[in-house]
C-alpha cells in the first residue's frame, strides 16, 4: 500500500528533471530534522503532480483513462522548518 503523506525527517534531495507523482490526498510533510532540497534547472524542472498525469510515463497504467486536475493531490507541508529549497519546480 502506498502511504498518503510521506514524512521527511532527514534531508531529501530531489534531482533536476525528476517527476514526483502523488495519489489522492498524497504529499510530503517535513518533520523536525527534515529539509527538502528540490533544485531543478531552467531547462530541466522538477515536477510535482498527480498519479493521473502521464508526463514521463503512464504510471497508473490506464493509458489515457484519466487526466490530472487541480486538487488531485494534497500538500507539500514544510511545517515550521527552515532550510528547504525549491528552485525551478512546477506544481500541477
Amino acid at each position: 500500500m502506498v502511504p498518503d503523506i510521506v514524512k521527511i525527517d532527514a534531508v531529501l534531495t530531489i534531482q533536476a528533471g525528476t517527476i514526483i507523482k502523488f495519489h489522492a490526498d498524497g504529499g510530503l510533510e517535513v518533520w523536525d530534522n527534515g529539509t527538502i532540497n528540490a533544485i531543478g534547472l531552467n531547462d530541466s524542472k522538477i515536477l510535482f503532480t498527480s498519479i493521473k498525469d502521464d508526463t514521463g510515463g503512464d504510471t497508473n497504467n490506464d493509458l489515457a483513462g484519466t487526466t490530472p486536475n487541480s486538487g488531485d493531490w494534497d500538500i507539500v507541508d514544510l511545517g515550521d522548518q527552515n532550510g528547504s529549497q525549491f528552485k525551478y519546480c512546477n506544481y500541477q
Side-chain angles (χ1 to χ4, degrees), residues 13 17 19 28 46-47 65 73-74:
T13 300
I19 300 170
L28 301 174
I46 295 168
L47 175 62
W73 57 280
D74 192 21

Side-chain angles (χ1 to χ4, degrees), residues 2-73:
V2 177
D4 291 332
I5 302 290
V6 177
K7 295 173 180 11
I8 309 301
D9 199 23
V11 177
L12 171 63
T13 300
I14 303 171
Q15 300 295 319
T18 300
I19 300 170
I20 298 177
K21 297 182 180 186
F22 298 105
H23 289 272
D25 300 322
L28 301 174
E29 182 179 295
V30 175
W31 281 30
D32 295 335
N33 298 311
T35 57
I36 299 172
N37 294 318
I39 310 298
L41 303 170
N42 188 40
D43 61 348
S44 186
K45 293 180 174 55
I46 295 168
L47 175 62
F48 296 85
T49 190
S50 165
I51 192 73
K52 297 177 184 178
D53 189 339
D54 288 344
T55 302
D58 184 16
T59 309
N60 63 352
N61 297 314
D62 72 343
L63 302 175
T66 55
T67 55
N69 291 301
S70 178
D72 279 347
W73 57 280

